[in-house]
Amino acid sequence: MLSRTADHLFWLSRYIERAENTARMLDIAYQTSLQPQSVDESEQTWRSLISISELNSLYGAKYSSINGRNVMEFMVADETNLSSIFNCLRAARENARAVRGALTTEVWETMNQTWLEFRRLLREGALTRDPAQLFEWVKYRSHLSRGVTVGTMLQDEAFHFIRIGSFLERADNTARLLDVKFYRQEQTQGEHDAARDFYYWSAVLRSVSGFEIYRKVYSNVIQPDKVAELLILRPDMPRSLSHCITRMLANLKRVANAQSAETLRRVGRLEAELNFGRIDEILAQGMHPFLDGFLSEVADLGARISRDFLVPSA
């Protein structure tokens, strides 16, 4: 496959996944903002979203204060924010258009209609009228895109590059979400009662569709260490780091070439660390150092995949 085509396929799936992840985080923040809380707590909730995406400088250059209305506008519809849902869906559609011949008609039409419909919803004021409904729509369209891809595409190189992009982006997002949440817990240790902690970690689980899964796996009160174990080490949790890295490795093996041996080795090593890791060892090491190291590994893997497959050989 031409490296240019592989690059478009890789990034169209990353952008769709990023749009969904952003909608998930915004939805939880919005629902949390409806609960009784202090001004400082509300501001910290919205500030954490900016921190997750490393957009503090860009946001600060445009807005003088952090509040729900500004953050949602910035993360959903701002054309200057390359990570906004608006720009993610537009970029996904443009990447799909560039490789129209590598996609099935159903996949292309889903991508194209998602972008056109999203623009219409923004023009009609959907973000102001009912943010939660708009976030659900973005998640639904991402699910639809993924389902159509799996259900209609030949499982050839094009399919595998799409899946590699999805799992890499999802692993990055889950790690960022956990990093910010555990950091905030450390900063506010002792300030929350049991009821507030329950709601807080329930929101984290709901942001990755993990609340019902947690109840099924652990059958007890929600505890931060168990949440971390579920989202880091459980290979059967669809959004866990372990699951994402395992699925990424499986797809990388299907497109391996002469340049990718070292990349495969590094992904395999990371998979082994997650498959045989223990949450008590991770907590003893420190959650932030562990997740920071994981994010560095994921960034390196993204660069290596680009070098091995997506950049034309000289």
Side-chain angles (χ1 to χ4, degrees):
M1 174 178 287
L2 290 174
S3 57
R4 181 176 63 254
T5 300
D7 184 69
H8 286 302
L9 293 167
F10 176 78
W11 280 104
L12 81 84
S13 61
R14 288 199 70 170
Y15 282 124
I16 284 289
E17 186 74 29
R18 191 173 299 176
E20 178 188 348
N21 291 331
T22 300
R24 285 176 175 276
M25 292 186 295
L26 285 169
D27 190 30
I28 293 302
Y30 175 69
Q31 298 296 341
T32 303
S33 72
L34 301 179
Q35 302 296 318
Q37 59 185 306
S38 69
V39 174
D40 287 343
E41 287 176 322
S42 177
E43 180 178 323
Q44 181 58 42
T45 296
W46 294 108
R47 186 185 300 278
S48 68
L49 289 184
I50 305 300
S51 299
I52 287 174
S53 302
E54 299 180 352
L55 294 169
N56 303 71
S57 298
L58 184 60
Y59 180 90
K62 190 160 189 177
Y63 298 97
S64 59
S65 62
I66 293 181
N67 57 61
R69 182 172 183 175
N70 288 347
V71 173
M72 286 194 289
E73 178 68 26
F74 179 69
M75 297 294 290
V76 174
D78 195 322
E79 296 186 42
T80 66
N81 173 14
L82 296 181
S83 294
S84 69
I85 294 175
F86 179 91
N87 278 323
C88 285
L89 294 182
R90 176 167 62 181
R93 188 258 188 186
E94 289 305 305
N95 278 283
R97 184 176 62 83
V99 289
R100 173 67 184 83
L103 305 173
T104 62
T105 298
E106 291 88 346
V107 173
W108 159 246
E109 288 181 347
T110 299
M111 297 281 187
N112 189 46
Q113 181 153 3
T114 296
W115 164 241
L116 297 175
E117 184 73 5
F118 183 73
R119 286 199 306 170
R120 182 187 66 79
L121 289 171
L122 287 183
R123 286 197 304 268
E124 294 177 354
L127 178 59
T128 303
R129 183 173 61 252
D130 192 344
Q133 186 176 33
L134 180 63
F135 301 146
E136 285 298 323
W137 181 90
V138 173
K139 288 188 284 183
Y140 169 77
R141 295 301 298 190
S142 177
H143 296 327
L144 181 61
S145 172
R146 189 159 47 246
V148 168
T149 299
V150 173
T152 68
M153 284 191 64
L154 181 69
Q155 295 193 11
D156 57 3
E157 287 187 328
F159 175 84
H160 294 306
F161 279 114
I162 289 174
R163 299 296 280 166
I164 290 167
S166 291
F167 288 118
L168 184 67
E169 185 68 31
R170 188 181 300 177
D172 180 271
N173 179 263
T174 298
R176 288 181 185 278
L177 176 67
L178 277 172
D179 195 22
V180 169
K181 297 302 184 183
F182 269 90
Y183 176 76
R184 180 184 173 188
Q185 184 194 36
E186 291 172 0
Q187 295 299 106
T188 59
Q189 191 68 35
E191 295 182 15
H192 300 289
D193 58 27
R196 187 178 292 275
D197 282 340
F198 173 82
Y199 182 82
Y200 180 80
W201 289 106
S202 295
V204 173
L205 288 169
R206 292 183 192 281
S207 71
V208 291
S209 297
F211 184 80
E212 294 172 345
I213 294 175
Y214 183 96
R215 287 299 200 192
K216 183 174 183 179
V217 171
Y218 297 105
S219 302
N220 60 12
V221 67
I222 295 176
Q223 300 172 338
D225 60 330
K226 297 298 184 184
V227 173
E229 182 179 60
L230 180 71
L231 298 184
I232 294 174
L233 301 177
R234 289 284 305 199
D236 49 358
M237 167 62 186
R239 292 186 171 272
S240 74
L241 306 188
S242 176
H243 179 84
C244 291
I245 296 302
T246 296
R247 298 310 306 154
M248 188 171 72
L249 178 60
N251 283 278
L252 274 171
K253 288 179 177 178
R254 302 295 295 273
V255 297
N257 60 24
Q259 291 87 24
S260 63
E262 178 60 17
T263 300
L264 284 171
R265 187 189 73 82
R266 287 173 180 255
V267 180
R269 183 182 64 187
L270 186 55
E271 180 196 34
E273 291 174 358
L274 293 169
N275 284 347
F276 295 98
R278 290 173 45 178
I279 194 61
D280 57 335
E281 294 175 347
I282 292 174
L283 292 173
Q285 170 189 344
M287 186 60 69
H288 177 68
F290 172 81
L291 292 172
D292 192 52
F294 179 85
L295 286 168
S296 295
E297 289 270 9
V298 167
D300 180 64
L301 289 176
R304 288 180 173 277
I305 290 169
S306 178
R307 183 200 64 196
D308 295 343
F309 302 105
L310 312 180
V311 177
S313 301

